[in-house]
Amino acid sequence: MKRVLASLSLTLACAAVSQAGAVTLTFACDSVGQGFDECKKGADAWAKRTGNTVRLIQVPKETDQRLALYQQQLGARSADVDVYMIDVVWPGLIGQHLLDMKKYIPAAEINRHFPAIVQNNTIGGKLVGMPFFTDAGVLYYRTDLLKKYGYTKPPKTWNELATMAQKIQAGERKTNSRFVGFVFQGKNYEGLTCDALEWISSFGGGTIVDSSGKVTINNAKTVQALQAIQGLVGTVAPQAVTTYGEEEARNVWQAGNAAFMRNWPYAYAAGQEQGSAVRGKIGVAALPAGTGGKPAATLGGWQLAVNAYSKNPKEAASLVQYLTGVQEQKRRAVEASYNPTIASLYKDKDVLKAVPFFGSLYDVFTNAVARPATVTGSKYNQVSDAFSTAVYNVLTKKSAPGPAMKTLEGQLNRIKGRGW
Ligand code: GLC
């Protein structure tokens, strides 16, 4: 009898919940830096407003690993995850499994976001993701150490960076054997594709594949760029940089053991947290230019997308609408230095107070160089993989830059031959 009553009351409780229309959504968001906590804060706020529940799941740190996992789930038409945070380079890879956000979110709201990102997320007329935050590579430097070693400004060229990093490293090593001049993302993954595109583009070497689909990677400027960066590994950058992703680089930097770091804007707020050795000592500038070139930042960033197989598309779209809206983007910018995708927030005084370089580097964010994802479509991950592997072989001195780029050109043309 007791059991019957218990099960009856459970049934009634469920009925009450479903009567109120409340659902539980599963959300695959972020895990880098403060990513998980920040997604949770936003999702909880939406849950509180609507009476629904959001279950945030753990996701891999690396974008490549996330992609592989999500491709498996979506390929199997799994409804397990309702909302995915997707990389700016994925719409052409998984867009067919995502709902058209135009059917759920008013045009006026969509049109508040940077048009280039909305365009990037539009595949065959379908808006497969709402812009959540944008990203661009920036140069972090230690303001205290530049001063100590007699520099008044961050480096403008890669050569200057090498000279400054060398001098600071030599000086700091007298008291700190772990100190290094420069850290970046050197392991073989999507992050290396981003860093290497910056080096190459800053020397005037193009974007791997141009907007017409032509493979342009095998050129003299690219070779020059790779020679310059190869020369940094094992001198001012530790040999171990070829095992670093974003977080490994940030850990070295945030422990106070590097003069310069290439990273995304999230590393600013993380570095300013209580207990960080670099709190109050962080400068942020545009990345250096190559010889005869101009600075380049790779365009990164993330969108929120609804799984086409979700059982709760309306609620999922409502969560996306809330999280990508102006209020939440402002909160995330102020608390965790995530770049908004809404232009007006770059003039917001609270945002600029918390993250001054959102104002001073506005052009860097709006002129960032895109990876060739749109033009290579469903082949983008193969292209990026071949590219990062070739660059990795150069950094680890398995290949010289010239021959590596010639081989890569052949590989990319073979991928192209299978259609992009
Ligand atoms: C950042 C960027 C993303 C890029 C990734 C590479 O998360 O926002 O676009 O693919 O870094 O590691």
Side-chain angles (χ1 to χ4, degrees), residues 68-388:
L69 182 66
Y70 302 167
Q71 277 181 318
Q72 262 176 31
Q73 295 170 343
L74 295 169
R77 301 177 168 250
S78 161
D80 288 355
V81 174
D82 298 284
V83 176
Y84 286 102
M85 185 178 90
I86 69 164
D87 200 338
V88 70
V89 288
W90 297 355
L93 294 165
I94 57 169
Q96 72 273 30
H97 301 293
L98 304 171
L99 290 183
D100 185 359
M101 299 315 296
K102 285 192 303 222
K103 303 220 165 94
Y104 297 88
I105 298 179
E109 209 163 311
I110 295 169
N111 294 336
R112 276 197 201 151
H113 296 267
F114 287 129
I117 305 180
V118 173
Q119 173 79 40
N120 174 83
N121 299 353
T122 304
I123 302 289
K126 211 171 86 170
L127 180 63
V128 301
M130 278 294 284
F132 187 33
F133 65 97
T134 186
D135 248 349
V138 289
L139 181 71
Y140 289 86
Y141 61 95
R142 285 279 298 276
T143 49
D144 57 327
L145 294 180
L146 259 59
K147 201 161 166 217
K148 178 172 171 189
Y149 290 87
Y151 297 111
T152 55
K153 278 194 256 75
K156 288 264 179 252
T157 64
W158 290 107
N159 280 342
E160 263 175 53
L161 179 136
T163 309
M164 290 167 73
Q166 184 64 55
K167 182 164 163 190
I168 300 173
Q169 179 177 282
E172 291 301 295
R173 281 216 177 148
K174 290 180 189 147
T175 52
N176 176 3
S177 61
R178 300 167 74 174
F179 195 88
V180 295
F182 180 42
V183 290
F184 58 90
Q185 293 70 47
K187 81 171 168 190
N188 184 3
Y189 78 123
E190 184 65 27
L192 178 56
T193 293
C194 296
D195 288 37
L197 176 62
E198 285 160 354
W199 308 328
I200 291 170
S201 184
S202 78
F203 274 78
T207 57
I208 313 167
V209 174
D210 72 12
S211 56
S212 76
K214 183 169 180 270
V215 175
T216 57
I217 193 64
N218 187 17
N219 66 70
K221 287 177 175 162
T222 291
V223 171
Q224 208 188 341
L226 292 179
Q227 262 155 1
I229 304 299
Q230 190 186 49
L232 301 180
V233 179
T235 57
V236 298
Q239 206 71 57
V241 81
T242 57
T243 63
Y244 290 0
E246 284 81 4
E247 289 290 83
E248 289 79 9
R250 184 172 72 84
N251 289 341
V252 174
W253 160 261
Q254 208 162 305
N257 290 332
F260 297 102
M261 168 175 73
R262 183 277 178 206
N263 217 321
W264 307 99
Y266 84 95
Y268 180 74
Q272 293 286 36
E273 288 214 312
Q274 291 284 354
S276 157
V278 296
R279 185 179 156 100
K281 302 172 181 167
I282 305 177
V284 185
L287 286 163
T291 314
K294 51 185 197 334
T298 294
L299 177 71
W302 294 81
Q303 340 303 316
L304 294 182
V306 178
N307 180 354
Y309 318 111
S310 164
K311 301 270 189 297
N312 303 298
K314 263 205 202 105
E315 291 81 2
S318 159
L319 173 63
V320 168
Q321 183 171 6
Y322 176 79
L323 292 177
T324 56
V326 69
Q327 182 195 334
E328 177 63 6
Q329 287 212 0
K330 174 168 172 174
R331 187 195 69 76
R332 290 173 53 92
V334 169
E335 289 180 20
S337 62
Y338 288 110
N339 284 68
T341 57
I342 298 171
S344 60
L345 286 175
Y346 289 82
K347 298 206 176 88
D348 183 288
K349 66 177 188 337
D350 300 326
V351 170
L352 293 177
K353 185 162 172 256
V355 199
F357 69 90
F358 278 5
S360 56
L361 298 184
Y362 184 70
D363 288 349
V364 169
F365 302 124
T366 47
N367 292 315
V369 180
R371 285 160 277 174
T374 302
V375 71
T376 58
S378 65
K379 299 293 192 309
Y380 174 72
N381 53 342
Q382 290 177 39
V383 169
S384 177
D385 207 40
F387 175 65
S388 69

